[in-house]
Amino acid sequence: MEQNKIFRMTRDNGIAVVTIDVPGRPMNTWTEDAVRGFYALLDELEAIADAKALVFISGKPGNFHSGADLNVLETMKSPGETAEALDVFHKAFNRLAAIKFPTVAAIEGHCLGGGLEFALACTARIAKNSRSTLLGLPECTLGIFPGAGGTQRLPRLIGLPAIELILRGTMFSPEKALDLGVIDRLVPADGDLLANAVEFARELVAGKASLKRSEHDFSQIDQIAEFARAETLKVTRGREIPGPMLAIKAMQQGLKGPLDQGLEIEKKLFVQAVLSNEAKGSIHTFFLKTMSDKPRSMMRKDFAPRPIRKVGILGFGTMGRGIAIDILRNTNLTVIIKDVEQAIEPGRAFVRKILEGMASKKRLKEPVDTLLSRLSCTADYTDDWGQVDLVVEAVFEDLKVKEQVYGELSQRVADDCIIASNTSSIPLNSMVPYVSRPERFGGLHFFSPVWLMQLVEVIQGEGTSADTTDNLLNFAGSIRKRPIVCKDNPGFV
């Protein structure tokens, strides 16, 4: 048999040890190659005549298995295609559960989603009590639900607490996993996980290890499901998100019968969930957050960001106020704002109100008055504007207004001052003619309310230079935003 590069097996005195290591990935996930490798491993395991037990362990430090490759979920377009893809996992985990000798998942690091569902198909689980070890089924937070056996195997293992864990997408420590009964043994942080797992497997073979496997009462599942629906609707403010709602249905219907019937119900309902618009949107948002998590990694490798000391904001309305709040609370930068005289005091009062609310919840590193001491407001251009390193324009969405603003601004700021528009509807390129030196002009589209919304779109116009894009990424990162770069298309991202 060809050597399995992802699931490498060694054998010692009847105990097989399989090391999982998906090449080229920081985490073990169910890539297409990994699934093929797992099926090849199952063929081998089912043909072994003399094995006594099997231990699964990861070859990656800090990660046991992180589950499905979400890119695969995004490609699912039809019910038939989705059901077929899901059936691949169900058949694999059912075959694993039916292996004729004990199987042990030795967990260190993240064991999440389809990784935990894989471990649940094993006879037993042992985990290292390290800070990196984390278990859970977080799928409901992505608009879907655990669809590879999670809604059926976890409740049957630990009872009704599984329902809340699944619906909340809770991730929990190894100590909590032991208390719940998700794992059977805990290894100290400085212990040898593999040695302990092999010894556990030998005890299972010898009948010396006792596994706590209670019979759980699901006779009240209909009433519990109704309560879970009501609680879920409170969290979602009345919106029936398909993922958690279908998860409840899968458990309500599936836990009334045997496991094989429950798994069939889960598969059918998962197809509905993964093809819903809500799931597609949630997964897309997850990718945006993941991509935008480290702004520095999005810049050119050798780029040296321009020092930003003073930021100008044009407009003290809703967006201008929010941008000022985030700059003040996250940096030591000086902020200067220009708007008409009657907008200044209401703007200041609003900024103070929001900052004081943050201070009351101990979310500020400095007193509110200290932050506000770095904020100045003007109704006219003063000499300070000549010292500004970056300007964010947040005026009314009217092209004529933008033309006037940029014409005046270009004469007041330095030639190398970066200029960014917070436009949400006017194409960036339509404003380029009004800006001197268009290469220093780009877009920074914030979302409202700015101090709560993490995403910011960094927009490249036809003339936007690479330096300007990277400097805008650096600025977005400095105010703790999650930036994503896009072209000047309708709607941007």
Side-chain angles (χ1 to χ4, degrees), residues 1 50 56 109 148 168 216 343 369 384 452 474:
M1 180 178 292
D50 58 346
F56 286 103
R168 290 183 177 273
H216 299 289
D369 286 339
D384 287 340
L452 295 179
N474 183 62

Coordinates of all heavy atoms in Angstrom, one line a residue, residues 1 50 56 109 148 168 216 343 369 384 452 474:
M1 N 0.8 -1.2 0.0 CA 0.0 0.0 0.0 C 0.9 1.2 0.0 O 1.9 1.3 0.7 CB -0.9 0.0 1.2 CG -1.8 1.2 1.3 SD -2.9 1.1 2.8 CE -4.0 -0.3 2.3
D50 N -4.1 -8.3 13.7 CA -3.4 -8.4 15.0 C -3.4 -7.2 15.9 O -2.7 -7.2 16.9 CB -2.0 -9.0 14.8 CG -1.1 -8.1 13.9 OD1 -1.7 -7.2 13.3 OD2 0.1 -8.3 13.9
F56 N -4.8 8.0 18.1 CA -4.6 9.1 17.1 C -3.9 10.3 17.9 O -4.4 10.7 18.9 CB -5.9 9.6 16.6 CG -6.6 8.7 15.6 CD1 -7.6 7.9 16.0 CD2 -6.1 8.7 14.3 CE1 -8.3 7.1 15.0 CE2 -6.7 7.8 13.3 CZ -7.8 7.0 13.7
G109 N -4.0 20.9 22.0 CA -4.3 22.0 21.1 C -5.7 22.0 20.7 O -6.6 21.4 21.3
A148 N -21.4 16.5 11.0 CA -20.7 15.3 10.8 C -20.8 14.4 12.0 O -19.9 13.7 12.4 CB -19.2 15.5 10.5
R168 N -24.6 27.5 21.4 CA -23.8 28.7 21.7 C -22.5 28.6 21.0 O -21.7 29.6 21.0 CB -23.6 28.8 23.2 CG -24.8 29.2 23.9 CD -24.5 29.4 25.4 NE -25.7 29.9 26.1 CZ -26.1 31.2 26.3 NH1 -25.3 32.1 25.7 NH2 -27.1 31.5 27.0
H216 N -28.7 8.4 28.8 CA -29.3 9.7 29.1 C -30.8 9.6 28.7 O -31.2 9.0 27.7 CB -28.6 10.7 28.3 CG -27.2 10.9 28.7 ND1 -26.8 11.4 29.9 CD2 -26.0 10.5 28.0 CE1 -25.5 11.4 29.9 NE2 -25.0 10.9 28.8
A343 N -21.7 72.6 14.3 CA -21.6 71.2 14.4 C -20.5 70.8 15.5 O -20.5 69.7 15.9 CB -21.2 70.5 13.1
D369 N -10.6 63.1 29.9 CA -10.1 64.5 29.6 C -8.7 64.5 29.0 O -8.4 65.3 28.2 CB -10.1 65.3 31.0 CG -11.4 65.7 31.4 OD1 -12.4 65.8 30.6 OD2 -11.6 65.9 32.7
D384 N -2.4 74.6 11.6 CA -2.2 73.2 12.0 C -2.5 72.2 10.9 O -1.9 71.1 10.8 CB -3.2 72.9 13.1 CG -2.7 73.5 14.4 OD1 -1.6 73.9 14.5 OD2 -3.6 73.7 15.3
L452 N -17.8 50.5 17.2 CA -18.2 49.1 17.4 C -18.0 48.2 16.3 O -17.8 47.0 16.4 CB -19.8 49.1 17.7 CG -20.2 49.8 19.0 CD1 -21.7 49.7 19.1 CD2 -19.6 49.2 20.2
N474 N -1.7 50.3 7.5 CA -1.0 50.5 8.8 C -1.9 51.4 9.7 O -2.0 51.1 10.9 CB 0.3 51.2 8.5 CG 1.1 51.4 9.8 OD1 1.5 50.4 10.4 ND2 1.4 52.6 10.1

